[in-house]
Amino acid sequence: MRKLQMVDLKSQYDKIKTTVDASIQEVLDTTTYINGPKVHEFQKNLEEYLGVKHVIPCANGTDALQIAMMGLGLQPGDEVITADFTFAATVEVIALLQLTPVLVDVEMYNMNISLDAIKKAITPKTKAIVPVHLFGRAANMEAIMAIAKEHNLYVIEDNAQAIGANCKFSDGTKKKAGAIGHVGATSFFPSKNLGCYGDGGAIFTNDDELAHTIRGIVNHGMYVRYHHDVVGVNSRLDSIQAAVLNAKLPLLDQYNTARQNAARKYSAAFEGNENIIAPIICDVCDCHVFHQYTLRITNGKRDQLMEHLQVKQIPCAIYYPIPLHSQKAYADARYKEEDFPVTNQLVQEVISLPMHTELEDEQIKFITDSVLEFFNK
Ligand SMILES: *Cc1c(COP(=O)(O)O)cnc(C)c1O
């Protein structure tokens, strides 16, 4: 059996080496390392894949979120509502821009931002909502967009974990996660569903004016060379990373299907076990692309299960062990523990198993057998 890893990038690379290497070689041959034709080509290809008017590539997913917020012209003191149960990057950029982060609880069934909690948190100062499509599962964008419309708020999608996931609307249409809000942000960090071989990110929008503003912000606030109209940043996707992404984008759907198939096999093995709650697998809408396969362990023995798996050299991880509202950097007197019952429970119960595009049946069986063995001991 191949060595178990949370993410097996080497086995994936071995299969696509010829195309990826050729794509990188083109950049080396032309020495167009920054803003070369590969970046533009990837931008166009991603716009087409997502069905979004504008993709603006940038240096990483954290920058993408920050630049999206700068582009919307959010001002210090504006309140931005986001999920308490997510990676810190989401709240970090809100705080960095001197906006006021307002962390709210998530829903138990999909671990995404709670609609009721959003509604309760809205004040006259609220300017934006940042839903995170956590672990690859699209948040309920139709409902979130409706709340935003009613209260005249921006929606900034943190789509770092769910590129390729679909959101289904009640009229039957489907749209790609990240391309629904006023602006979306993603990351091409190597382990993400569409990962490059270094850092990378992108911002998406259907708004022409916002796209223009953001294109200037990523380039030092320049719209005309050496004319700096706004305070910008330097955030670029380099051409070598674009070359890798261009070679991998045509495989994204296939990669997401491989993740869904692995998830299905995991969940089939865990079915009926009273101590395990497996993630929902929806066969009709592709709303979950399994960036992570995350179980809830309900008998209070999550940490012992983790030790059991570690002894068997099965990698596993706790995403995320501490709610953001309990982090020193983001603590705020406004938060009360009773406002976060779901996050507080999830941090005690969740465990993520190896999830990537190259999982073999033999590996999945070894992992599921080992998990079940723990409960049958
Ligand atoms: C990975 C990630 C980011 C940040 O992306 P980087 O490219 O690492 O800066 C932001 N939000 C979420 C939810 C993520 O998972």
Side-chain angles (χ1 to χ4, degrees):
M1 188 173 72
R2 213 158 50 204
K3 186 174 177 289
L4 290 168
Q5 298 177 70
M6 273 312 267
V7 182
D8 186 351
L9 292 174
K10 179 66 166 74
S11 300
Q12 188 190 67
Y13 173 63
D14 287 344
K15 291 185 186 162
I16 56 174
K17 184 174 166 29
T18 320
T19 17
V20 171
D21 289 7
S23 190
I24 293 175
Q25 191 62 47
E26 273 180 60
V27 178
L28 300 179
D29 289 338
T30 54
T31 68
T32 49
Y33 300 123
I34 300 290
N35 285 333
K38 281 283 177 201
V39 179
H40 189 69
E41 208 181 304
F42 172 64
Q43 174 205 319
K44 291 287 160 205
N45 290 338
L46 189 59
E47 284 167 358
E48 191 177 326
Y49 174 84
L50 292 171
V52 72
K53 243 170 134 180
H54 304 280
V55 165
I56 302 108
C58 66
N60 58 65
T62 310
D63 273 9
L65 285 165
Q66 177 182 329
I67 294 159
M69 289 176 203
M70 290 169 76
L72 291 171
L74 300 182
Q75 296 299 315
D78 287 351
E79 293 181 1
V80 179
I81 298 173
T82 193
D84 189 37
F85 190 58
T86 175
F87 180 56
T90 325
V91 66
E92 174 181 273
V93 298
I94 299 171
L96 262 179
L97 293 172
Q98 293 184 293
L99 312 173
T100 305
V102 179
L103 296 166
V104 301
D105 208 7
V106 295
E107 316 261 12
M108 193 58 94
Y109 81 100
N110 67 0
M111 303 187 193
N112 282 323
I113 196 161
S114 152
L115 304 175
D116 285 341
I118 293 175
K119 288 183 206 156
K120 268 194 220 147
I122 293 172
T123 75
K125 286 188 182 169
T126 308
K127 287 286 151 48
I129 307 168
V130 187
V132 183
H133 304 298
L134 198 72
F135 301 151
R137 168 131 198 207
N140 184 346
M141 286 306 293
E142 184 164 25
I144 292 168
M145 293 309 290
I147 297 171
K149 195 168 178 196
E150 189 186 332
H151 297 273
N152 201 19
L153 308 175
Y154 292 120
V155 175
I156 303 154
E157 289 175 80
D158 181 343
N159 196 31
Q161 301 190 358
I163 196 156
N166 283 315
C167 291
K168 204 172 173 202
F169 288 77
S170 47
D171 64 1
T173 56
K174 283 182 184 179
K175 284 183 193 160
K176 291 283 183 212
I180 300 160
H182 300 89
V183 57
T186 202
S187 163
F188 305 121
F189 186 81
S191 64
K192 305 279 162 139
N193 289 36
L194 179 61
C196 57
Y197 295 168
D199 274 310
I203 303 144
F204 323 133
T205 184
N206 286 306
D207 180 328
D208 297 340
E209 204 176 314
L210 180 60
H212 174 75
T213 305
I214 288 174
R215 281 199 190 96
I217 291 173
V218 298
N219 189 25
H220 303 290
M222 277 196 289
Y223 298 90
V224 176
R225 203 161 173 76
Y226 299 123
H227 293 253
H228 303 273
D229 293 357
V230 292
V231 177
V233 294
N234 170 25
S235 189
R236 297 183 284 239
L237 179 70
D238 75 65
S239 304
I240 288 182
Q241 299 311 332
V244 173
L245 291 165
N246 236 345
K248 287 179 73 174
L249 180 59
L251 301 167
L252 178 58
D253 283 343
Q254 192 179 312
Y255 283 161
N256 283 340
T257 303
R259 288 171 180 272
Q260 289 163 338
N261 287 340
R264 230 172 248 124
K265 288 172 192 166
Y266 273 137
S267 291
F270 299 138
E271 205 179 305
N273 188 301
E274 57 182 7
N275 301 308
I276 303 176
I277 299 179
I280 297 165
I281 296 177
C282 176
D283 282 314
V284 284
C285 66
D286 271 339
C287 65
H288 200 330
V289 291
F290 290 95
H291 176 59
Q292 299 295 344
Y293 181 84
T294 304
L295 298 174
R296 286 174 49 209
I297 304 302
T298 55
N299 67 348
K301 300 221 166 111
R302 189 265 318 265
D303 293 345
Q304 290 93 317
L305 169 64
M306 195 162 177
E307 280 163 29
H308 172 81
L309 296 179
Q310 278 161 350
V311 169
K312 304 200 131 218
Q313 306 208 338
I314 297 172
C316 53
I318 312 289
Y319 305 119
Y320 296 95
I322 304 168
L324 289 176
H325 79 269
S326 308
Q327 299 281 0
K328 221 170 165 182
Y330 307 111
D332 190 308
R334 75 163 79 202
Y335 300 136
K336 297 189 199 71
E337 283 313 312
E338 60 265 32
D339 291 333
F340 302 96
V342 179
T343 303
N344 285 340
Q345 189 178 335
L346 285 174
V347 296
Q348 304 290 332
E349 291 184 348
V350 289
I351 182 167
S352 298
L353 300 180
M355 177 47 82
H356 53 80
T357 60
E358 311 301 319
L359 273 168
E360 292 170 334
D361 286 355
E362 186 189 12
Q363 294 178 308
I364 294 175
K365 181 154 176 12
F366 180 70
I367 296 165
T368 55
D369 283 352
S370 304
V371 171
L372 293 170
E373 178 192 275
F374 171 78
F375 290 106
N376 296 332
K377 266 200 303 203

